[in-house]
């Protein structure tokens, strides 16, 4: 039950992470009113009182559409216009200012961690480039002229969230015209005596409408929650991986590896609660295998009666009744073949003067050179098992015979019979 609960928690946390990563709106539109205040670019910038514009009467409008790639970065396409008029002591003029621009947007609130302490206030930064059109009015030296200029701009936009789909914004943007020909008041031409021929500050306020069916916009995604969930899911994933590793039962004895003191027990033998094969006489051979061997070969080992004439143990071994079989392209004996190895161990123990030769074979799959090497390795593997079982090395020899082509190559079952090691007693 605990494991199921744990897995369900992981699934839930993963779903929450995915929701946080993908379930928010990207698009928004905004509309507002503005006031513009030129800084430089008058006929006589040393006489700011005479030519400085007034905020009164400098009201215009702006419209924009924004796309946030993620919670931190996006793009905005916008445009605005504003009327710039004379100040209290200025010569009269009326200039219309238009601007179209493309900007990159940075969600400063997300980067600075605003979501950790507020869901109402946010701050965006933006910068980009565009084109400006300055249209001069009547009663000036260059009346009714149009002036086009490339421009650069930078600004900040505070936000107050009213609902999940509407926010109020204020904005302050500073832009500089790179090739402004006429002064703002229309009384001077070839205004090219500075790096920025004219600059203007724009102050705006309006509303932003978030488009989409998701609950939140990228401006207001809670990064703190996402980080905590990401850390939690990483921790849960590591714990699941550890549990999966611990629960592996390599030898299929019913005891998981992390509890198994003998994780390579041969299949089918009885083990205790710690995964160790039952071996009461401590001879290195599981009792269950040892008992079945004794029964299997008891009749063959008997020497009384003409019915068993010539069918003694040595004959069985030398004539190939006792073999060690292998998996395809492997030097690991099949589990059931340990019975044959144990049979030879018992014979060698009961006949101290006996010597044995181990001969390895391979099937026809693969080239001859490789199969010769494989057959030698198989014979050496059985040789090492016999020595580990107590048979003296000076009583054993081993060699490989390579391919045994005595069976139908196309038969998978027949090829199993020739992937083997046979014994010859001396």
């Amino acid at each position: 039950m605990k494991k199921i609960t744990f897995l369900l928690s992981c699934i839930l946390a993963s779903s929450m992470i995915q929701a946080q990563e993908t379930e928010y709106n990207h698009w928004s539109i905004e509309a507002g009113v503005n006031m513009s205040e030129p800084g430089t670019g008058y006929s006589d910038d040393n006489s700011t009182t005479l030519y400085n514009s007034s905020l009164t009467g400098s009201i215009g409008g702006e419209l924009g559409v924004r796309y946030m790639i993620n919670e931190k970065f996006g793009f905005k396409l916008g445009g605005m216009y504003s009327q710039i008029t004379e100040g209290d002591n200025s010569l009269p003029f009326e200039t219309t200012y238009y601007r179209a621009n493309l900007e990159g947007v940075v969600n400063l609130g997300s980067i600075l961690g605003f979501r950790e302490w507020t869901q109402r206030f946010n701050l965006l930064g933006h910068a980009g480039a565009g084109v400006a059109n300055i249209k001069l009015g009547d009663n000036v030296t260059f009346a009714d002229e149009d002036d086009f200029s490339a421009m650069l701009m930078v600004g900040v936009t505070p936000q107050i969230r009213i609902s999940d789909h509407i926010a109020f914004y204020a904005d302050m943007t500073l832009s500089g015209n790179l090739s402004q020909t006429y002064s703002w008041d229309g009384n001077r031409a070839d205004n090219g005596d500075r790096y920025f021929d004219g600059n203007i500050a724009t102050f705006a306020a309006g509303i932003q409408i978030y488009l989409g069916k998701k609950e939140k916009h990228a401006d207001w995604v809670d990064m703190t929650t996402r980080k905590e969930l990401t850390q939690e899911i990483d921790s849960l994933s590591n714990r699941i991986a550890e549990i999966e590793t611990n629960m592996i039962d390599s030898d299929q004895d019913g005891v998981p590896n992390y509890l198994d003191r003998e994780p390579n027990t041969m299949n089918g033998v009885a083990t205790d609660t710690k995964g160790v094969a039952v071996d009461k006489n401590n001879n290195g051979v599981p009792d269950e295998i040892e008992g079945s061997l004794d029964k299997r070969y008891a009749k063959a080992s008997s020497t009384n009666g003409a019915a068993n004439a010539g069918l003694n143990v040595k004959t069985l071994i030398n004539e190939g009744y006792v073999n060690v079989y292998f998996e395809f392209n492997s030097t690991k004996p099949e589990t059931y073949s340990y019975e044959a190895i144990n049979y030879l161990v018992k014979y060698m123990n009961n006949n101290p003067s006996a010597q044995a030769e181990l001969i390895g074979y391979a099937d026809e799959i693969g080239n001859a050179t490789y199969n010769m090497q494989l057959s030698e390795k198989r014979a050496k593997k059985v040789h090492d098992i016999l020595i580990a079982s107590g048979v003296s090395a000076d009583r054993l020899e081993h060699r490989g015979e390579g391919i045994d082509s005595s069976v139908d190559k196309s038969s998978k079952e027949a090829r199993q019979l020739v992937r083997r090691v046979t014994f010859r007693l001396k």
Side-chain angles (χ1 to χ4, degrees), residues 348-361:
M348 299 295 282
N349 289 339
N350 292 331
N351 297 272
S353 62
Q355 295 185 331
E357 182 180 23
L358 318 176
I359 308 167
Y361 294 92

Side-chain angles (χ1 to χ4, degrees), residues 127-141:
V131 61
N133 173 229
I134 301 172
K135 186 175 182 61
L136 303 176
D138 299 329
N139 303 318
V140 295
T141 304

Side-chain angles (χ1 to χ4, degrees), residues 8-21:
L8 289 176
S9 299
C10 292
I11 294 171
L12 178 61
S14 177
S15 299
M16 293 177 68
I17 284 288
Q18 185 178 11
Q20 288 289 334
E21 289 180 346

Side-chain angles (χ1 to χ4, degrees), residues 277-296:
V278 177
D279 181 17
K280 294 181 179 178
N281 58 4
N282 296 319
N283 66 346
V285 180
D287 292 347
E288 193 169 354
I289 295 297
E290 189 172 358
S292 65
L293 288 174
D294 292 340
K295 293 178 182 179
R296 177 174 176 178

